[in-house]
Amino acid sequence: MTFDGFETLAIHAGQEADTETGAVVVPIYQTSTYAQDGVGGLRGGYEYSRTANPTRGALEECLAALESGIRGLAFASGMAAEDTLLRTVAKPGDHVIIPSDAYGGTFRLFSKVLERWGVEWEAVPQSDTEAVRRAVRPETVAIWAETPTNPLLTISDIEALAGVAHDSGALLVVDNTFASPYLQRPLALGADVVVHSTTKYLGGHSDVVGGALVVSDPELGDRLAFHQNTMGAVAGPFDAWLTLRGAKTLGVRMDRHCANAERVVESLRAHPAVSEVYYPGLPDHPGHKTAERQMRAFGGMVSFRVRGGEEAALKVCERARVFTLGESLGGVESLIEHPGRMTHASAAGSPLEVPADLVRLSVGIESADDLVADLAGALES
């Protein structure tokens, strides 16, 4: 069957009714190995669940469809996906350009692991396409983009970055975790690889950890699949099943996340204790026009700075009640965190260090009135 609508793909891609029982939900194939019909006589191509598993395969097919790619690969975490990708496309002596405000875990992977392996990296403000172009070297194998970035919600022009990457023979990798495939499809804008922490919006319920890669080139897909199997950091069948369940409602959840975020942003902008709000939906956001062009809506992530510095920001995090103090994002429940002390602590003292007075919100799908009231109370001095 061929589908066009996003919500239809989310519910049906890779998820046809079970041929034996008619079950409308993909079964959890909780098995490590498979009986063979003679040596090398595989049933459906399955021999060992590190290599392939029907539940994981259904998720991978669904993710590929949602991102308009030809192949999806599911991993045990977003960082496992990133590590597998980088060890597939980079070798000692190669160079990668990352955002100047990249996710702390991505920065840690480059600065503490890949750098020791001999891969060079450079942090560049990727909202400035020409700055990225100037940073490209003969050894550059990839431009690694996040848009919106974590946690400053900077927007990069995916199509323009794809042009820079391809002019130099490099790949454009886009971490699409903050936007989700419902709001943004980087492959359609020229990216070569999409990265997800499926823990976040795709899973959507804070009950599963996972990651994914989606590509549009079959040869690159084959190389990644080889490394996925060889390295082995694959999504287990139950985790794959939970992520599939979450993906079914991604569209309707994202609509509510976005609507609630807009209400939260409006209230924060009017509050005297807030000095600055970062949200690409604001007309005065530097990347607003680009986001408007390449995104369906502006997402559920909001960051803001608090007058009074770090201590005031920490108190806001501690006072919130509907917003749960915790790391991660993208679940149905709203979360609040202090990036400098929590998700981005690894960037302290580096060029990627985040402001000490910054608070990051993952706006959930609760009543918007309750969220606005909770933040108002947390901001009272």
Side-chain angles (χ1 to χ4, degrees), residues 17-18 39 59 71 104 136 161 168 177 192 197 199 202 215 270 301 373:
D18 182 63
V39 176
L59 172 61
R71 188 162 196 172
V136 172
L161 288 179
S168 63
T177 298
D192 300 287
S197 170
T199 309
L202 277 158
V215 299
M301 299 301 299

Side-chain angles (χ1 to χ4, degrees), residues 71 137 230 275 295:
R71 188 162 196 172
R137 310 176 191 170
T230 303
S275 61
M295 298 177 73

Side-chain angles (χ1 to χ4, degrees), residues 101-115:
D101 56 339
Y103 164 55
T106 300
F107 167 71
R108 184 172 57 234
L109 177 63
F110 277 98
S111 64
K112 304 298 184 184
V113 178
L114 292 166
E115 186 175 302

Side-chain angles (χ1 to χ4, degrees), residues 126 142 144 205:
Q126 294 186 358
W144 187 286
H205 294 79

Side-chain angles (χ1 to χ4, degrees), residues 9 13 57-73 181 185 187 196 212-216:
L9 286 169
L59 172 61
E60 292 174 335
E61 184 176 341
C62 182
L63 293 173
L66 296 182
E67 283 287 3
S68 301
I70 61 99
R71 188 162 196 172
L73 300 161
R185 295 190 186 182
L187 296 179
H196 279 285
L213 302 173
V214 182
V215 299
S216 54

Side-chain angles (χ1 to χ4, degrees), residues 273 275 304-319 337-342 344-345 348 353-359 378:
S275 61
F304 63 97
R305 299 179 74 170
V306 182
R307 300 188 195 279
E310 183 176 31
E311 287 306 311
L314 292 171
K315 287 179 181 177
V316 170
C317 294
E318 292 165 1
R319 288 176 181 148
E337 68 126 357
H338 184 267
R341 295 279 190 99
M342 297 169 69
H344 290 68
E353 183 173 4
V354 299
D357 58 358
L358 188 75
V359 174

Side-chain angles (χ1 to χ4, degrees), residues 84-109:
T84 301
L85 169 61
L86 287 163
R87 285 198 280 169
T88 301
V89 303
K91 63 184 186 303
D94 285 340
H95 173 250
V96 180
I97 297 169
I98 69 170
S100 57
D101 56 339
Y103 164 55
T106 300
F107 167 71
R108 184 172 57 234
L109 177 63

Side-chain angles (χ1 to χ4, degrees), residues 101-105 108 146 149-153 178 200 264 268 278 300-306 309-330 333-347 352-364 374-375 378-379:
D101 56 339
Y103 164 55
R108 184 172 57 234
E146 292 177 24
T149 59
N150 181 4
L152 297 179
L153 297 157
F178 264 32
K200 313 305 195 290
V264 165
L268 290 173
Y278 300 89
M301 299 301 299
V302 179
S303 291
F304 63 97
R305 299 179 74 170
V306 182
E310 183 176 31
E311 287 306 311
L314 292 171
K315 287 179 181 177
V316 170
C317 294
E318 292 165 1
R319 288 176 181 148
R321 292 295 176 263
V322 181
F323 282 84
T324 300
L325 178 61
E327 297 187 358
S328 197
L329 58 104
E333 64 287 305
S334 294
L335 298 176
I336 189 169
E337 68 126 357
H338 184 267
R341 295 279 190 99
M342 297 169 69
T343 53
H344 290 68
S346 63
L352 280 74
E353 183 173 4
V354 299
D357 58 358
L358 188 75
V359 174
R360 192 192 75 180
L361 305 175
S362 174
V363 180
D374 188 44
L375 289 172
L379 284 162

